[in-house]
Amino acid sequence: MDIITLHHVKKYYGRKENVVKALDGIDLTIEQGTFTAIVGASGSGKTTLLNMMGGLDVPDDGEIMVDGVKLSGLKEEQLAVFRRKKVGFIFQNYNLIPTLTVEENILFPLELDGSAPDQGYLEEITQLLGLKDKLDAFPEMLSGGGQQRVAIARALAVKPAILLADEPTGNLDSQNGQNVAGLLKMTTELFHRTLVMITHNMELAQLADRVVRLQDGRIVS
Amino acid sequence: MLENNNLRICRKLVGREFQFHKGQSLLLVLAVTLVCMLYTFSFCLGNLTYDGFLYSFRTIYGSDSHIIYDNITEAQAAALKKHPAVKETAALSVTGVLSDEMLENRNVKLAAVSEGWAKATGAVPHSGRMPAEKDEIALDEITMNSLVIPHEIGAEVPIRWQSEDGEEHMHMFRLSGWWRNPAGETDSCAWITEETAGELCDKTADTLMLGVTLYRPGDVEKQAKDMLAELGMEDISYTTNLAYNEARQDYAGREAMAFYRMNLIVVLCGVLMLCHIVQLSAQQNIRFYGRIKSLGMTPRQIRVLAVMRTVRVCLPGILPGWILGFLLCAAVAPQVVVGMEQNPAFAFFQIWPFFISALLTGATALTACLLPVRRAVRSVPAEAMRYVEGAGRSRRRRRKSRASILRRIALTGLSRQKKQSLLAAFSLLLSLVILCGVWTVRMSYDEEKYLEGMALCDYRLADASAASGVQRYNPKSRSITPQIMEALLAHPAVTGIGQACTREVLLYAKPEERAPIIDTFEEVDEYGNARKAYMADDPDWLAGYERMRETGEYTGIVTGVDGLMLENAMARQVFLEGSFDQSAFATGKYVLAAGADSSYIRSTPPAGSRITICGREFEIMASIPYESTLLSGADSRQAQYNITYYLPHSAFDELFPEHGIRNVAINIDHEELRAFEEFLDQLLEGSGVDVFSYGDYRWTFQNAVFHRCFIPLFVGSVMLLIGMLNFANALAAGMLVRKKEFAVYESLGMTRKQLRRLLLWEGAGGYAALFLLLTPGTAICTWLWGKWWLAHTNTWCITWRFSLLPLWVSLPALLVLAFTVPLCFLKVVTKEGVTERLRVIT
């Protein structure tokens, strides 16, 4: 069953002779429960594509459907709630809130929603990601790998339909990168999530069920 | 899908943010304090100005009561007292009115003691006591001085009074006490006991006055009328307190509006200042909002977060702002509302200025804090997260330059923080224009010109019966005694002295003498009005003129002057006809004639004609215009239209051998000022003689200029301070964001010395840009403003003096800031090692 469908999605930046075609008519479907890696050179449109899937950016043309929700029809408020409930983001620079503790960061999307956390599930995640004894720490007290694990836990906390990871290992050394990627794959399999991950690292891409290659805003394979 | 919008998380985020960014939060709290202080100051000052005016109107009216009903019966008074709109009343049983002609400009009621009325009108004796025994009387000092009653308890007081039926009576009282000038100079009471009142007049029931204080003093006129209509007593006459008169309230409101208008500048100042502080971390904030938006925070939640943030910085800032603003107001208040024993800020304390100040402070802070939120909410999260302040706006290509690399980098550095720098420059320009404009106005008020026009001598003594403008000068008064004159003449500090004595006499102008005078007043001027028409609001003047026109009889004020008084009388004179020959004048055969008009048109008998005063003939040496500043006090109503004849004091002595002195003019050696003032205080103690000094004129002038200029000068100074803080902020912020940039330079081999030189170049460039903007901008705006003001003001004591002093004082301070702030912050940003700084993620 397809969970993400992109139909003829375009995104251009700039005007006239300076126009940059970040996405130039992308058609893509991603099946539920799969791990898809998006690879490509810098400026090929990977991050733009991921942002479109997560409702962080809006296309100039085309349609995006995620878990049965047509994104183009949503207003600002609705998009925010969509992101909160359906999408788990993992950014290269973690995007943790420095003023909140690890636990508060993990619970942040749930708190935004006002919904009660599933304690058992959260304990399982934090146990799995090795955060159990770091819940009261602030992000700056953790290493890069530790911070990225918090970001993964936060992304999983709301039991999202899709997990979008934008070069989650980009700021980590190779050992930590391998660990984080492994954790990501493991947790998505364990909790039956759909994972879309941008990476430059072909070794990590090999872990995916499917590899999508982008070039100049188009899918080449 | 939209069911949840939890706001609890906002509270948590705000609390944590306050804890984590203490520096910026503290800066914001300080800014809020400053803004709240300004609002509180201006609203409290506006409020006390308004109340101060109402207080002065109440003083003129002479009572605190809202309505005074005249001539009512006991039964009517009882009915009015029971009316639901009435809070309290004070009744006055009026026996009659003092009818001595010396009190013709005033209304002094002879009445049985009424404690309530006395309290409401401030007519409680400060010397002696209220009458308690038969034939005792208590008076105010103005009445006593006008009637030449000695200030001694038990002194005999002959009083001429008129009962309600118009009958004149004379009665001898004993003085039991007196109080200083009554609340309203024109209205007062002469207190007697009820027993005495009963004996003097048995018809007191019809002559009751009732002062009414209402629960709600709005539209007093209507309430007074409605109450009478409801009680079926429409025929009763009443007056309403001037302080509650709509027109007077409008006037007071207009005066207070100047202070409220100042708040527009405070809004601008406050928003600029807060914006600037918020702007320092705008990029960080927008990215933060983008980040939390990407995690699912809705625009509404973000707005609530921003509002909560604002509330969080406002709460600790408001209380100190209130206190500082009020203290500042209390310090200034005695200069704004003069003549009150208690500080007006405390006397007119009200809570609403604080409430409004808090609200406006919140609104100002919110306006500033919501700006970055607006940007974050408008952009999609992906855009907000990678937001770079001012990025992608400059499309200009830089020309190749031959300048050194340091200077080129410095030039590029200048274009960074453009928005912050522009904001700072704008607030500086605005404050400097206000300061220089008001300073130019302040400098243009010419004290010398004013003093030359108003103060003819260092001291002017006035007889006790002519101390106030409502007092008719009593020629029987002898408060300036020969002993006082002798002591003054003998004092070594006195460099010049002169006296003026006056006497009203009935004179006659022959038809050929009065014809040209009549022509003067009947002539139609360029505006199509006869000159006499301008005196329509003075019926006594018109009556006197008509009498002269029809019968030739008129009041002449014979004024004997000598020494300094003669010099003063002649000092600014324009001779409309004839000329002044001092030696001929001293012979006592000549008089100078001043007409009943202050314009430069002759309204006296012609120069060279002869006038007979008290049987002695004088020749009119010259004709001069009417001069109002020479003598104090008032003349009789019949003398409203008069011709004044100045003659030497010796001649006046011969005409009126028994006379008092109305005014004395004194000049002293200014080095002996303190000693002379002490001497004067001792000499005149208890005499009732009024002293008006050159210093009083100067104080009056300086006080008026202070009133006009203080508020805008204060606001301008605060704005300048804010502008300078903004400028320093922009410089500091410009340094803090360049941590990595400096690390890159250093990694490429730039030494600390070169870095410092780079910053000096940047400082010089920034200062030059500021100088080029501020100097011509301030000069042009100030010039235009000053010229506009000059064209629209109707003050006579002005000499145009363009001054940019505040600008010249500010420029060196800005120069110091431009060089020192970046150098100080260089130490902060280069504290960490190069590699650590290079690792910083932008």
Side-chain angles (χ1 to χ4, degrees), chain B residues 194-343:
Chain B
E194 253 184 67
E195 182 195 0
T196 315
E199 280 179 19
L200 291 174
C201 181
D202 54 4
K203 285 163 64 187
T204 49
D206 287 340
T207 54
L208 204 63
M209 286 175 80
L210 190 72
V212 169
T213 304
L214 301 165
Y215 279 108
R216 288 183 186 160
D219 202 353
V220 176
E221 190 71 29
K222 186 173 177 293
Q223 287 198 63
K225 208 178 272 180
D226 290 350
M227 276 163 63
L228 292 178
E230 280 171 38
L231 298 169
M233 305 189 293
E234 288 92 338
D235 296 340
I236 291 175
S237 63
Y238 64 87
T239 58
T240 53
N241 197 319
L242 292 173
Y244 301 97
N245 171 295
E246 221 170 281
R248 299 253 176 177
Q249 284 185 334
D250 282 351
Y251 175 76
R254 276 199 302 277
E255 288 295 320
M257 196 47 78
F259 296 97
Y260 297 142
R261 264 200 297 268
M262 179 179 94
N263 284 306
L264 289 176
I265 301 173
V266 178
V267 171
L268 194 67
C269 269
V271 171
L272 271 177
M273 179 168 56
L274 290 165
C275 261
H276 206 93
I277 297 168
V278 172
Q279 193 66 33
L280 295 180
S281 55
Q283 179 174 306
Q284 206 180 320
N285 282 335
I286 291 170
R287 284 182 177 187
F288 173 73
Y289 289 131
R291 218 183 299 163
I292 53 177
K293 214 175 161 187
S294 74
L295 297 173
M297 195 172 234
T298 60
R300 181 177 164 241
Q301 283 173 317
I302 290 176
R303 274 192 288 268
V304 171
L305 178 68
V307 171
M308 282 184 175
R309 253 180 162 181
T310 312
V311 172
R312 189 72 179 83
V313 292
C314 280
L315 283 179
I318 282 176
L319 184 66
W322 278 345
I323 296 169
L324 289 174
F326 182 72
L327 288 178
L328 199 63
C329 177
V332 177
Q335 307 288 324
V336 177
V337 179
V338 287
M340 284 184 74
E341 277 177 29
Q342 199 189 354
N343 187 312

Side-chain angles (χ1 to χ4, degrees), chain B residues 580-600:
Chain B
F580 180 62
D581 176 346
Q582 192 160 359
S583 53
F585 184 75
T587 61
K589 292 177 183 166
Y590 297 91
V591 291
L592 291 161
D597 192 89
S598 57
S599 57
Y600 295 152

Side-chain angles (χ1 to χ4, degrees), chain A residues 37-159:
Chain A
I38 300 174
V39 296
S42 283
S44 58
K46 305 183 296 290
T47 300
T48 310
L49 179 64
L50 202 75
N51 286 344
M52 297 291 165
M53 290 178 191
L56 288 182
D57 211 342
V58 285
D60 294 334
D61 197 11
E63 269 184 13
I64 303 167
M65 186 88 96
V66 178
D67 197 22
V69 178
K70 197 173 154 190
L71 300 192
S72 55
L74 298 183
K75 290 178 183 161
E76 262 293 298
E77 293 272 333
Q78 292 169 317
L79 261 177
V81 178
F82 160 79
R83 284 192 296 269
R84 185 197 294 170
K85 291 191 164 180
K86 302 267 181 187
V87 187
F89 282 106
I90 302 154
F91 299 98
Q92 182 181 4
N93 56 357
Y94 331 127
N95 276 358
L96 297 176
I97 297 165
T99 57
L100 300 180
T101 62
V102 166
E103 188 179 14
E104 286 165 341
N105 263 291
I106 295 170
L107 295 176
F108 185 73
L110 288 164
E111 287 231 39
L112 285 177
D113 205 40
S115 48
D118 177 343
Q119 285 300 339
Y121 173 65
L122 284 174
E123 263 183 49
E124 204 181 338
I125 296 172
T126 48
Q127 182 80 44
L128 199 67
L129 292 167
L131 297 168
K132 196 90 175 132
D133 54 343
K134 294 187 173 90
L135 291 176
D136 293 329
F138 284 96
E140 60 170 19
M141 295 155 82
L142 304 180
S143 65
Q147 290 190 40
Q148 197 57 293
R149 285 203 298 277
V150 178
I152 294 168
R154 180 179 66 187
L156 288 167
V158 285
K159 299 179 184 172

